[in-house]
Amino acid sequence: MISHSIFTFAGEKLPGIFYMTIYYCYDAYCGWCYGFSPVIRRIFEEYRDTFAFEVLSGGMILPEKPQPIGVMADHIRSAYPVVEQRTGIRFGSDWLWHINHPEESDWYPHSEKPSIAMCVFKDYYPDDAVLFAGELQYALHYEGRDLTDDEAYRHLLEKYRIPEAEFYGKLHHPAYKEKAHDEFALVRQLKVNGFPTVFLQVSESRFYLLTRGYTDHDTLKKGIGKALSEAGTQ
């Protein structure tokens, strides 16, 4: 495979050419990923003409038997103020209602459906997956949409002009479920044990870990510069 200069990538991928790639490993249900979403979006906007970007869903919540939100509500209730304080993000009142009233909530969190939705979205806008990841996080953590419910995605189909019948057909097609689980397996192969995690791939076999867990924009940008310098691309 042919190397491709960091300075000439203009956003459109050509087959058979290697592009330096930022891999964003996340989960739609991850509160820290929600707090990180403005950071990775800013990095995407700054570097989208320099790198390819790939979003990999990690499958953070995959119980064999779905569990009610009450199982994790206590932990989330103590953790989300820390996320707000450190990242500046705000969790919405509709989401908080489920965390503060778990005995009345009908939520059974599960990472599979939003991960499948991400795989379907990539069919239409593969280069904008970072944006869609942020949309899913906002839909859940601010708007309080249940990502296990098909209706949670309808407003995004209108926004991105994705045909509803096609989207929902793919959302329930076994092939896209398989794609999502392939991403889970790849994330495990990359030895990711927490979210968000970001890598920079500079060659077919060379990866740099940029962050494991939340980091701010300036720190992440410095990490990118350091990785490129060590890799001899600057």
Side-chain angles (χ1 to χ4, degrees):
M1 193 172 284
I2 305 169
S3 293
H4 194 82
S5 169
I6 181 175
F7 299 109
T8 60
F9 178 62
E12 187 164 345
K13 300 173 189 172
L14 300 175
I17 295 178
F18 171 78
Y19 296 98
M20 284 195 255
T21 302
I22 286 183
Y23 288 92
Y24 172 36
C25 302
Y26 99 116
D27 192 273
Y29 278 94
C30 170
W32 281 107
C33 296
Y34 172 54
F36 184 65
S37 58
V39 175
I40 193 64
R41 177 169 183 150
R42 186 175 170 188
I43 291 292
F44 171 70
E45 291 169 348
E46 291 174 346
Y47 288 98
R48 65 183 306 171
D49 292 336
T50 302
F51 304 126
F53 281 77
E54 297 285 350
V55 176
L56 299 175
S57 300
M60 186 177 76
I61 305 175
L62 294 172
E64 290 186 16
K65 181 180 179 181
Q67 300 292 313
I69 188 67
V71 171
M72 58 189 76
D74 286 345
H75 169 73
I76 295 173
R77 199 178 300 118
S78 63
Y80 88 82
V82 180
V83 178
E84 288 189 330
Q85 181 178 17
R86 184 170 177 196
T87 71
I89 205 80
R90 288 293 175 263
F91 292 82
S93 58
D94 289 335
W95 177 83
L96 285 168
W97 184 90
H98 292 272
I99 306 307
N100 292 324
H101 303 87
E103 68 286 349
E104 300 177 54
S105 174
D106 60 355
W107 279 10
Y108 284 73
H110 203 288
S111 296
E112 186 177 76
K113 184 167 285 188
S115 302
I116 297 172
M118 173 63 75
C119 290
V120 176
F121 179 84
K122 291 178 188 179
D123 271 1
Y124 298 95
Y125 303 104
D127 296 332
D128 290 337
V130 169
L131 304 181
F132 194 66
E135 300 271 22
L136 294 179
Q137 292 161 343
Y138 185 83
L140 171 66
H141 292 104
Y142 193 84
E143 297 176 328
R145 299 179 190 265
D146 179 2
L147 297 184
T148 68
D149 184 350
D150 285 5
E151 290 301 311
Y153 306 93
R154 195 172 300 277
H155 69 296
L156 296 176
L157 306 185
E158 296 173 1
K159 179 173 183 177
Y160 287 94
R161 299 181 181 178
I162 297 174
E164 288 185 9
E166 285 185 13
F167 176 85
Y168 286 115
K170 292 177 178 181
L171 188 67
H172 293 282
H173 196 287
Y176 287 87
K177 179 177 179 178
E178 183 177 352
K179 286 183 179 183
H181 282 264
D182 285 346
E183 288 194 6
F184 303 158
L186 178 55
V187 169
R188 290 194 298 270
Q189 184 180 340
L190 290 170
K191 298 184 177 3
V192 173
N193 54 19
F195 304 102
T197 293
V198 181
F199 297 96
L200 172 60
Q201 184 182 13
V202 298
S203 70
E204 290 184 6
S205 60
R206 194 168 185 183
F207 287 76
Y208 286 88
L209 175 64
L210 298 179
T211 183
R212 179 179 284 119
Y214 176 82
T215 193
D216 60 51
H217 167 267
D218 291 347
T219 302
L220 183 57
K221 191 167 184 175
K222 288 177 183 176
I224 292 170
K226 181 179 179 182
L228 294 177
S229 179
E230 289 183 8
T233 59
Q234 290 186 330

